[in-house]
Amino acid sequence: MNISWNEFCDRVYGCFMGKCIAGTVGAPYEGYKGIMDVQYTPELFGQAQSQSETVPNDDLDLQVLWLEVIEKTGPNFTSDDLAKAFYEKCPYAPGEYATFKKNYELGLRPPLTGSFNNHYYLEGMGAPIRAEIWACLAPGEPLLAAELAGKDGCLDHKGESVVAEQYVAVLEALAFTGKYDIQTLVVKALTYIDERSKFYQMAGRVIELCGSTKDWKQILTLILRDYGHPDCTNLYQNMGIILMALLLGCGNFITTVML
């Protein structure tokens, strides 16, 4: 992809700043499963800390850690390189992170660290939330972004969750080109993942729903009916909501975040 250094930096900055803002707005409500009536005001950003700082966010912390790994090992890094850094430098261990650490301590290495004794969190959001770094390292190169995301997702997941991370990485790598609107990106990114996957089928269903109605509450009800899970971090319900927000938000950042 032909892109100037200044343009590349601007898009990376926008990518991570957007995630910081959205994460700060949403963090106080993480894990709540009901419909929330939260209206956007500028005060939502930075209300958790003084001086309008963003709240800590593992979605971003781990990606900065991955960047450190790549700066040290070069572009031919392995899943083992990521796993070593994950184990040694990530002090917290919720959900699948804990499963990864226990498996790593047993002497297992990726992809077994993600698949062994991980039934409840196997299809969690821990992998898709780490996708931005791979798109930023492969702007306009969706196949490479998917390959890099695959090295990451298998640390603490298997199968569908890895597919979901690859999908997000592909979508964002394509977004770097500036050629497509949101609706086109959501659909085009699907052509790079396994059409036999449950994630592919779920995404297609959400695209269909958003094409037939703009009533987000109705769409949300159907997503939770068909893909709901006891784990609030399960990927299907969360990715379904994300896709709904992208499609109904029509490129407006605040509208999308609040959805």
Side-chain angles (χ1 to χ4, degrees):
M1 174 182 173
N2 293 321
I3 185 173
S4 70
W5 176 247
N6 287 339
E7 188 176 9
F8 170 75
C9 290
D10 180 66
R11 294 186 182 186
V12 171
Y13 180 79
C15 172
F16 276 80
M17 182 58 71
K19 191 151 186 171
C20 285
I21 294 170
T24 297
V25 171
Y29 311 100
E30 185 170 5
Y32 179 72
K33 294 185 177 182
I35 293 179
M36 292 168 281
D37 182 17
V38 181
Q39 302 300 317
Y40 175 77
T41 66
E43 288 72 29
L44 279 177
F45 176 54
Q47 66 180 357
Q49 295 183 345
S50 62
Q51 299 179 340
S52 297
E53 297 175 353
T54 59
V55 298
N57 190 341
D58 60 291
D59 304 25
L60 292 170
D61 294 347
L62 285 169
Q63 297 188 71
V64 174
L65 180 58
W66 296 164
L67 179 60
E68 180 182 286
V69 170
I70 296 162
E71 287 176 336
K72 291 180 178 179
T73 63
N76 295 320
F77 69 95
T78 66
S79 296
D80 285 343
D81 294 326
L82 299 178
K84 184 175 185 295
F86 195 0
Y87 181 77
E88 293 178 352
K89 296 191 176 183
C90 180
Y92 42 80
E96 58 267 65
Y97 298 178
T99 301
F100 160 79
K101 288 195 172 186
K102 290 178 181 178
N103 287 339
Y104 195 83
E105 289 173 351
L106 290 173
L108 300 178
R109 295 297 180 264
L112 293 177
T113 50
S115 60
F116 181 71
N117 199 26
N118 191 22
H119 304 295
Y120 191 70
Y121 295 109
L122 190 67
E123 296 179 342
M125 279 294 289
I129 63 174
R130 306 194 297 254
E132 281 75 25
I133 183 69
W134 312 123
C136 290
L137 290 171
E141 301 291 339
L143 291 176
L144 177 58
E147 177 187 347
L148 298 176
K151 293 183 181 183
D152 173 17
C154 68
L155 301 185
D156 50 352
H157 300 86
K158 180 185 177 182
E160 296 282 345
S161 189
V162 180
V163 170
E165 178 174 2
Q166 291 177 313
Y167 172 82
V168 177
V170 165
L171 189 152
E172 294 174 339
L174 291 170
F176 257 95
T177 66
K179 295 179 180 179
Y180 312 105
D181 59 23
I182 292 292
Q183 285 75 14
T184 303
L185 284 170
V186 167
V187 174
K188 188 174 180 61
L190 283 177
T191 64
Y192 290 87
I193 66 171
D194 187 354
E195 64 182 15
R196 299 166 298 178
S197 65
K198 182 178 177 181
F199 174 82
Y200 184 98
Q201 301 302 323
M202 181 277 296
R205 174 64 172 148
V206 173
I207 292 169
E208 178 185 0
L209 288 171
C210 291
S212 62
T213 179
K214 304 305 177 186
D215 184 347
W216 66 265
K217 289 187 178 180
Q218 180 183 349
I219 297 172
L220 174 62
T221 298
L222 294 173
I223 290 172
L224 295 179
R225 183 195 69 179
D226 296 338
Y227 303 102
H229 191 278
D231 174 23
C232 68
T233 73
N234 186 263
L235 80 91
Y236 300 110
Q237 58 198 8
N238 281 285
M239 286 301 303
I241 293 168
I242 289 169
L243 290 173
M244 177 190 74
L246 287 172
L247 291 168
L248 298 187
C250 298
N252 183 287
F253 177 72
I254 295 300
T255 301
T256 303
V257 169
M258 298 313 294
L259 278 172

PDB file of all heavy atoms in Angstrom, residues 46-76:
ATOM      1  N   GLY A  46     -13.204  10.733  30.378  1.00  0.00           N
ATOM      2  CA  GLY A  46     -12.346  11.224  31.440  1.00  0.00           C
ATOM      3  C   GLY A  46     -13.020  11.337  32.782  1.00  0.00           C
ATOM      4  O   GLY A  46     -12.400  11.804  33.737  1.00  0.00           O
ATOM      5  N   GLN A  47     -14.282  10.899  32.918  1.00  0.00           N
ATOM      6  CA  GLN A  47     -14.953  11.044  34.199  1.00  0.00           C
ATOM      7  C   GLN A  47     -14.383  10.098  35.255  1.00  0.00           C
ATOM      8  O   GLN A  47     -14.518  10.341  36.449  1.00  0.00           O
ATOM      9  CB  GLN A  47     -16.444  10.771  34.047  1.00  0.00           C
ATOM     10  CG  GLN A  47     -16.801   9.330  33.685  1.00  0.00           C
ATOM     11  CD  GLN A  47     -18.296   9.138  33.551  1.00  0.00           C
ATOM     12  OE1 GLN A  47     -19.068  10.061  33.781  1.00  0.00           O
ATOM     13  NE2 GLN A  47     -18.708   7.948  33.176  1.00  0.00           N
ATOM     14  N   ALA A  48     -13.730   9.029  34.792  1.00  0.00           N
ATOM     15  CA  ALA A  48     -13.230   8.054  35.757  1.00  0.00           C
ATOM     16  C   ALA A  48     -11.960   8.522  36.452  1.00  0.00           C
ATOM     17  O   ALA A  48     -11.630   8.069  37.540  1.00  0.00           O
ATOM     18  CB  ALA A  48     -12.968   6.723  35.058  1.00  0.00           C
ATOM     19  N   GLN A  49     -11.216   9.423  35.828  1.00  0.00           N
ATOM     20  CA  GLN A  49      -9.974   9.903  36.410  1.00  0.00           C
ATOM     21  C   GLN A  49      -9.876  11.412  36.216  1.00  0.00           C
ATOM     22  O   GLN A  49     -10.587  12.008  35.421  1.00  0.00           O
ATOM     23  CB  GLN A  49      -8.759   9.227  35.749  1.00  0.00           C
ATOM     24  CG  GLN A  49      -8.686   7.726  36.011  1.00  0.00           C
ATOM     25  CD  GLN A  49      -7.423   7.127  35.399  1.00  0.00           C
ATOM     26  OE1 GLN A  49      -6.761   7.745  34.583  1.00  0.00           O
ATOM     27  NE2 GLN A  49      -7.088   5.931  35.826  1.00  0.00           N
ATOM     28  N   SER A  50      -8.991  12.005  36.962  1.00  0.00           N
ATOM     29  CA  SER A  50      -8.794  13.449  36.846  1.00  0.00           C
ATOM     30  C   SER A  50      -8.035  13.780  35.573  1.00  0.00           C
ATOM     31  O   SER A  50      -7.406  12.931  34.956  1.00  0.00           O
ATOM     32  CB  SER A  50      -8.011  13.954  38.063  1.00  0.00           C
ATOM     33  OG  SER A  50      -6.724  13.357  38.114  1.00  0.00           O
ATOM     34  N   GLN A  51      -8.105  15.016  35.183  1.00  0.00           N
ATOM     35  CA  GLN A  51      -7.363  15.565  34.059  1.00  0.00           C
ATOM     36  C   GLN A  51      -7.705  14.864  32.743  1.00  0.00           C
ATOM     37  O   GLN A  51      -6.891  14.786  31.828  1.00  0.00           O
ATOM     38  CB  GLN A  51      -5.855  15.475  34.315  1.00  0.00           C
ATOM     39  CG  GLN A  51      -5.423  16.260  35.548  1.00  0.00           C
ATOM     40  CD  GLN A  51      -3.943  16.145  35.814  1.00  0.00           C
ATOM     41  OE1 GLN A  51      -3.281  15.234  35.343  1.00  0.00           O
ATOM     42  NE2 GLN A  51      -3.409  17.069  36.573  1.00  0.00           N
ATOM     43  N   SER A  52      -8.935  14.331  32.662  1.00  0.00           N
ATOM     44  CA  SER A  52      -9.424  13.719  31.420  1.00  0.00           C
ATOM     45  C   SER A  52      -8.513  12.614  30.895  1.00  0.00           C
ATOM     46  O   SER A  52      -8.346  12.436  29.693  1.00  0.00           O
ATOM     47  CB  SER A  52      -9.606  14.795  30.337  1.00  0.00           C
ATOM     48  OG  SER A  52     -10.572  15.723  30.723  1.00  0.00           O
ATOM     49  N   GLU A  53      -7.908  11.856  31.795  1.00  0.00           N
ATOM     50  CA  GLU A  53      -7.081  10.731  31.372  1.00  0.00           C
ATOM     51  C   GLU A  53      -7.964   9.551  30.980  1.00  0.00           C
ATOM     52  O   GLU A  53      -9.054   9.379  31.498  1.00  0.00           O
ATOM     53  CB  GLU A  53      -6.143  10.304  32.509  1.00  0.00           C
ATOM     54  CG  GLU A  53      -5.136  11.361  32.916  1.00  0.00           C
ATOM     55  CD  GLU A  53      -4.312  10.936  34.105  1.00  0.00           C
ATOM     56  OE1 GLU A  53      -4.614   9.879  34.687  1.00  0.00           O
ATOM     57  OE2 GLU A  53      -3.371  11.648  34.460  1.00  0.00           O
ATOM     58  N   THR A  54      -7.476   8.733  30.063  1.00  0.00           N
ATOM     59  CA  THR A  54      -8.211   7.527  29.724  1.00  0.00           C
ATOM     60  C   THR A  54      -7.958   6.471  30.793  1.00  0.00           C
ATOM     61  O   THR A  54      -6.910   6.448  31.426  1.00  0.00           O
ATOM     62  CB  THR A  54      -7.764   6.980  28.359  1.00  0.00           C
ATOM     63  OG1 THR A  54      -6.364   6.706  28.396  1.00  0.00           O
ATOM     64  CG2 THR A  54      -8.048   7.986  27.268  1.00  0.00           C
ATOM     65  N   VAL A  55      -8.935   5.589  30.970  1.00  0.00           N
ATOM     66  CA  VAL A  55      -8.785   4.540  31.970  1.00  0.00           C
ATOM     67  C   VAL A  55      -7.884   3.439  31.424  1.00  0.00           C
ATOM     68  O   VAL A  55      -7.786   3.251  30.206  1.00  0.00           O
ATOM     69  CB  VAL A  55     -10.153   3.953  32.372  1.00  0.00           C
ATOM     70  CG1 VAL A  55     -11.035   5.013  33.000  1.00  0.00           C
ATOM     71  CG2 VAL A  55     -10.850   3.330  31.166  1.00  0.00           C
ATOM     72  N   PRO A  56      -7.208   2.682  32.303  1.00  0.00           N
ATOM     73  CA  PRO A  56      -6.386   1.559  31.842  1.00  0.00           C
ATOM     74  C   PRO A  56      -7.240   0.559  31.060  1.00  0.00           C
ATOM     75  O   PRO A  56      -8.412   0.347  31.366  1.00  0.00           O
ATOM     76  CB  PRO A  56      -5.869   0.943  33.147  1.00  0.00           C
ATOM     77  CG  PRO A  56      -5.956   2.051  34.149  1.00  0.00           C
ATOM     78  CD  PRO A  56      -7.158   2.853  33.766  1.00  0.00           C
ATOM     79  N   ASN A  57      -6.648  -0.070  30.074  1.00  0.00           N
ATOM     80  CA  ASN A  57      -7.418  -0.918  29.176  1.00  0.00           C
ATOM     81  C   ASN A  57      -6.528  -2.041  28.657  1.00  0.00           C
ATOM     82  O   ASN A  57      -5.588  -1.797  27.901  1.00  0.00           O
ATOM     83  CB  ASN A  57      -7.942  -0.070  28.016  1.00  0.00           C
ATOM     84  CG  ASN A  57      -8.946  -0.788  27.151  1.00  0.00           C
ATOM     85  OD1 ASN A  57      -9.024  -2.011  27.167  1.00  0.00           O
ATOM     86  ND2 ASN A  57      -9.708  -0.029  26.387  1.00  0.00           N
ATOM     87  N   ASP A  58      -6.823  -3.276  29.060  1.00  0.00           N
ATOM     88  CA  ASP A  58      -5.995  -4.397  28.604  1.00  0.00           C
ATOM     89  C   ASP A  58      -6.081  -4.567  27.084  1.00  0.00           C
ATOM     90  O   ASP A  58      -5.158  -5.108  26.466  1.00  0.00           O
ATOM     91  CB  ASP A  58      -6.407  -5.701  29.297  1.00  0.00           C
ATOM     92  CG  ASP A  58      -7.852  -6.090  29.026  1.00  0.00           C
ATOM     93  OD1 ASP A  58      -8.749  -5.392  29.509  1.00  0.00           O
ATOM     94  OD2 ASP A  58      -8.078  -7.095  28.342  1.00  0.00           O
ATOM     95  N   ASP A  59      -7.178  -4.103  26.484  1.00  0.00           N
ATOM     96  CA  ASP A  59      -7.305  -4.163  25.029  1.00  0.00           C
ATOM     97  C   ASP A  59      -6.116  -3.478  24.352  1.00  0.00           C
ATOM     98  O   ASP A  59      -5.684  -3.881  23.270  1.00  0.00           O
ATOM     99  CB  ASP A  59      -8.572  -3.441  24.555  1.00  0.00           C
ATOM    100  CG  ASP A  59      -9.836  -3.973  25.197  1.00  0.00           C
ATOM    101  OD1 ASP A  59      -9.752  -4.527  26.306  1.00  0.00           O
ATOM    102  OD2 ASP A  59     -10.906  -3.816  24.604  1.00  0.00           O
ATOM    103  N   LEU A  60      -5.611  -2.430  24.985  1.00  0.00           N
ATOM    104  CA  LEU A  60      -4.491  -1.668  24.423  1.00  0.00           C
ATOM    105  C   LEU A  60      -3.158  -2.049  25.052  1.00  0.00           C
ATOM    106  O   LEU A  60      -2.133  -2.077  24.371  1.00  0.00           O
ATOM    107  CB  LEU A  60      -4.732  -0.170  24.626  1.00  0.00           C
ATOM    108  CG  LEU A  60      -5.892   0.418  23.818  1.00  0.00           C
ATOM    109  CD1 LEU A  60      -6.195   1.833  24.273  1.00  0.00           C
ATOM    110  CD2 LEU A  60      -5.558   0.403  22.340  1.00  0.00           C
ATOM    111  N   ASP A  61      -3.160  -2.351  26.360  1.00  0.00           N
ATOM    112  CA  ASP A  61      -1.906  -2.698  27.047  1.00  0.00           C
ATOM    113  C   ASP A  61      -1.179  -3.828  26.339  1.00  0.00           C
ATOM    114  O   ASP A  61       0.040  -3.771  26.109  1.00  0.00           O
ATOM    115  CB  ASP A  61      -2.188  -3.125  28.493  1.00  0.00           C
ATOM    116  CG  ASP A  61      -2.715  -1.988  29.346  1.00  0.00           C
ATOM    117  OD1 ASP A  61      -2.627  -0.830  28.900  1.00  0.00           O
ATOM    118  OD2 ASP A  61      -3.207  -2.268  30.452  1.00  0.00           O
ATOM    119  N   LEU A  62      -1.926  -4.882  26.007  1.00  0.00           N
ATOM    120  CA  LEU A  62      -1.293  -6.054  25.398  1.00  0.00           C
ATOM    121  C   LEU A  62      -0.781  -5.739  23.998  1.00  0.00           C
ATOM    122  O   LEU A  62       0.249  -6.283  23.569  1.00  0.00           O
ATOM    123  CB  LEU A  62      -2.278  -7.218  25.361  1.00  0.00           C
ATOM    124  CG  LEU A  62      -2.509  -7.884  26.717  1.00  0.00           C
ATOM    125  CD1 LEU A  62      -3.686  -8.841  26.663  1.00  0.00           C
ATOM    126  CD2 LEU A  62      -1.252  -8.619  27.165  1.00  0.00           C
ATOM    127  N   GLN A  63      -1.445  -4.857  23.290  1.00  0.00           N
ATOM    128  CA  GLN A  63      -0.974  -4.506  21.955  1.00  0.00           C
ATOM    129  C   GLN A  63       0.322  -3.708  22.009  1.00  0.00           C
ATOM    130  O   GLN A  63       1.194  -3.859  21.144  1.00  0.00           O
ATOM    131  CB  GLN A  63      -2.067  -3.734  21.216  1.00  0.00           C
ATOM    132  CG  GLN A  63      -3.322  -4.580  21.000  1.00  0.00           C
ATOM    133  CD  GLN A  63      -4.336  -3.915  20.100  1.00  0.00           C
ATOM    134  OE1 GLN A  63      -4.119  -3.794  18.902  1.00  0.00           O
ATOM    135  NE2 GLN A  63      -5.444  -3.481  20.680  1.00  0.00           N
ATOM    136  N   VAL A  64       0.456  -2.880  23.023  1.00  0.00           N
ATOM    137  CA  VAL A  64       1.728  -2.165  23.216  1.00  0.00           C
ATOM    138  C   VAL A  64       2.829  -3.163  23.563  1.00  0.00           C
ATOM    139  O   VAL A  64       3.973  -3.036  23.124  1.00  0.00           O
ATOM    140  CB  VAL A  64       1.583  -1.092  24.315  1.00  0.00           C
ATOM    141  CG1 VAL A  64       2.924  -0.453  24.613  1.00  0.00           C
ATOM    142  CG2 VAL A  64       0.574  -0.027  23.880  1.00  0.00           C
ATOM    143  N   LEU A  65       2.471  -4.199  24.345  1.00  0.00           N
ATOM    144  CA  LEU A  65       3.430  -5.262  24.667  1.00  0.00           C
ATOM    145  C   LEU A  65       3.832  -6.016  23.405  1.00  0.00           C
ATOM    146  O   LEU A  65       5.010  -6.338  23.214  1.00  0.00           O
ATOM    147  CB  LEU A  65       2.816  -6.217  25.688  1.00  0.00           C
ATOM    148  CG  LEU A  65       3.698  -7.389  26.137  1.00  0.00           C
ATOM    149  CD1 LEU A  65       5.012  -6.896  26.730  1.00  0.00           C
ATOM    150  CD2 LEU A  65       2.935  -8.253  27.150  1.00  0.00           C
ATOM    151  N   TRP A  66       2.860  -6.291  22.531  1.00  0.00           N
ATOM    152  CA  TRP A  66       3.199  -6.968  21.268  1.00  0.00           C
ATOM    153  C   TRP A  66       4.153  -6.115  20.445  1.00  0.00           C
ATOM    154  O   TRP A  66       5.078  -6.645  19.820  1.00  0.00           O
ATOM    155  CB  TRP A  66       1.936  -7.239  20.451  1.00  0.00           C
ATOM    156  CG  TRP A  66       0.901  -8.162  20.998  1.00  0.00           C
ATOM    157  CD1 TRP A  66      -0.388  -8.272  20.556  1.00  0.00           C
ATOM    158  CD2 TRP A  66       1.012  -9.134  22.063  1.00  0.00           C
ATOM    159  NE1 TRP A  66      -1.079  -9.222  21.278  1.00  0.00           N
ATOM    160  CE2 TRP A  66      -0.234  -9.768  22.205  1.00  0.00           C
ATOM    161  CE3 TRP A  66       2.051  -9.513  22.920  1.00  0.00           C
ATOM    162  CZ2 TRP A  66      -0.472 -10.760  23.154  1.00  0.00           C
ATOM    163  CZ3 TRP A  66       1.816 -10.494  23.880  1.00  0.00           C
ATOM    164  CH2 TRP A  66       0.579 -11.110  23.982  1.00  0.00           C
ATOM    165  N   LEU A  67       3.931  -4.811  20.435  1.00  0.00           N
ATOM    166  CA  LEU A  67       4.815  -3.927  19.684  1.00  0.00           C
ATOM    167  C   LEU A  67       6.243  -4.009  20.224  1.00  0.00           C
ATOM    168  O   LEU A  67       7.208  -4.044  19.450  1.00  0.00           O
ATOM    169  CB  LEU A  67       4.306  -2.485  19.762  1.00  0.00           C
ATOM    170  CG  LEU A  67       5.146  -1.436  19.032  1.00  0.00           C
ATOM    171  CD1 LEU A  67       5.238  -1.745  17.542  1.00  0.00           C
ATOM    172  CD2 LEU A  67       4.566  -0.038  19.251  1.00  0.00           C
ATOM    173  N   GLU A  68       6.373  -4.073  21.536  1.00  0.00           N
ATOM    174  CA  GLU A  68       7.711  -4.200  22.141  1.00  0.00           C
ATOM    175  C   GLU A  68       8.386  -5.492  21.703  1.00  0.00           C
ATOM    176  O   GLU A  68       9.589  -5.510  21.387  1.00  0.00           O
ATOM    177  CB  GLU A  68       7.598  -4.163  23.667  1.00  0.00           C
ATOM    178  CG  GLU A  68       8.943  -4.287  24.373  1.00  0.00           C
ATOM    179  CD  GLU A  68       8.787  -4.290  25.883  1.00  0.00           C
ATOM    180  OE1 GLU A  68       8.516  -3.218  26.444  1.00  0.00           O
ATOM    181  OE2 GLU A  68       8.915  -5.381  26.485  1.00  0.00           O
ATOM    182  N   VAL A  69       7.607  -6.573  21.665  1.00  0.00           N
ATOM    183  CA  VAL A  69       8.155  -7.855  21.221  1.00  0.00           C
ATOM    184  C   VAL A  69       8.677  -7.748  19.794  1.00  0.00           C
ATOM    185  O   VAL A  69       9.786  -8.192  19.481  1.00  0.00           O
ATOM    186  CB  VAL A  69       7.076  -8.970  21.308  1.00  0.00           C
ATOM    187  CG1 VAL A  69       7.567 -10.248  20.623  1.00  0.00           C
ATOM    188  CG2 VAL A  69       6.722  -9.255  22.757  1.00  0.00           C
ATOM    189  N   ILE A  70       7.868  -7.147  18.921  1.00  0.00           N
ATOM    190  CA  ILE A  70       8.232  -7.061  17.515  1.00  0.00           C
ATOM    191  C   ILE A  70       9.430  -6.143  17.318  1.00  0.00           C
ATOM    192  O   ILE A  70      10.293  -6.386  16.466  1.00  0.00           O
ATOM    193  CB  ILE A  70       7.021  -6.577  16.691  1.00  0.00           C
ATOM    194  CG1 ILE A  70       5.906  -7.624  16.775  1.00  0.00           C
ATOM    195  CG2 ILE A  70       7.396  -6.326  15.238  1.00  0.00           C
ATOM    196  CD1 ILE A  70       4.554  -7.110  16.379  1.00  0.00           C
ATOM    197  N   GLU A  71       9.523  -5.086  18.106  1.00  0.00           N
ATOM    198  CA  GLU A  71      10.676  -4.188  18.020  1.00  0.00           C
ATOM    199  C   GLU A  71      11.962  -4.926  18.382  1.00  0.00           C
ATOM    200  O   GLU A  71      13.038  -4.611  17.860  1.00  0.00           O
ATOM    201  CB  GLU A  71      10.477  -2.993  18.950  1.00  0.00           C
ATOM    202  CG  GLU A  71       9.435  -1.991  18.427  1.00  0.00           C
ATOM    203  CD  GLU A  71       9.178  -0.865  19.404  1.00  0.00           C
ATOM    204  OE1 GLU A  71       9.417  -1.061  20.622  1.00  0.00           O
ATOM    205  OE2 GLU A  71       8.734   0.213  18.972  1.00  0.00           O
ATOM    206  N   LYS A  72      11.862  -5.914  19.259  1.00  0.00           N
ATOM    207  CA  LYS A  72      13.041  -6.660  19.702  1.00  0.00           C
ATOM    208  C   LYS A  72      13.363  -7.853  18.806  1.00  0.00           C
ATOM    209  O   LYS A  72      14.532  -8.162  18.580  1.00  0.00           O
ATOM    210  CB  LYS A  72      12.844  -7.135  21.142  1.00  0.00           C
ATOM    211  CG  LYS A  72      12.838  -6.013  22.169  1.00  0.00           C
ATOM    212  CD  LYS A  72      12.642  -6.550  23.581  1.00  0.00           C
ATOM    213  CE  LYS A  72      12.682  -5.425  24.612  1.00  0.00           C
ATOM    214  NZ  LYS A  72      12.467  -5.935  25.992  1.00  0.00           N
ATOM    215  N   THR A  73      12.321  -8.533  18.313  1.00  0.00           N
ATOM    216  CA  THR A  73      12.546  -9.771  17.555  1.00  0.00           C
ATOM    217  C   THR A  73      12.487  -9.573  16.046  1.00  0.00           C
ATOM    218  O   THR A  73      12.977 -10.414  15.298  1.00  0.00           O
ATOM    219  CB  THR A  73      11.504 -10.838  17.939  1.00  0.00           C
ATOM    220  OG1 THR A  73      10.191 -10.376  17.571  1.00  0.00           O
ATOM    221  CG2 THR A  73      11.533 -11.113  19.431  1.00  0.00           C
ATOM    222  N   GLY A  74      11.865  -8.497  15.596  1.00  0.00           N
ATOM    223  CA  GLY A  74      11.714  -8.273  14.171  1.00  0.00           C
ATOM    224  C   GLY A  74      10.416  -8.855  13.639  1.00  0.00           C
ATOM    225  O   GLY A  74       9.625  -9.434  14.383  1.00  0.00           O
ATOM    226  N   PRO A  75      10.192  -8.731  12.331  1.00  0.00           N
ATOM    227  CA  PRO A  75       8.911  -9.124  11.743  1.00  0.00           C
ATOM    228  C   PRO A  75       8.658 -10.627  11.757  1.00  0.00           C
ATOM    229  O   PRO A  75       7.519 -11.058  11.580  1.00  0.00           O
ATOM    230  CB  PRO A  75       9.004  -8.593  10.311  1.00  0.00           C
ATOM    231  CG  PRO A  75      10.475  -8.514  10.029  1.00  0.00           C
ATOM    232  CD  PRO A  75      11.110  -8.151  11.333  1.00  0.00           C
ATOM    233  N   ASN A  76       9.692 -11.429  11.944  1.00  0.00           N
ATOM    234  CA  ASN A  76       9.519 -12.876  11.949  1.00  0.00           C
ATOM    235  C   ASN A  76       9.283 -13.418  13.353  1.00  0.00           C
ATOM    236  O   ASN A  76       9.709 -14.524  13.687  1.00  0.00           O
ATOM    237  CB  ASN A  76      10.741 -13.553  11.321  1.00  0.00           C
ATOM    238  CG  ASN A  76      10.901 -13.208   9.852  1.00  0.00           C
ATOM    239  OD1 ASN A  76       9.924 -13.136   9.119  1.00  0.00           O
ATOM    240  ND2 ASN A  76      12.130 -12.974   9.425  1.00  0.00           N
TER     241      ASN A  76
END
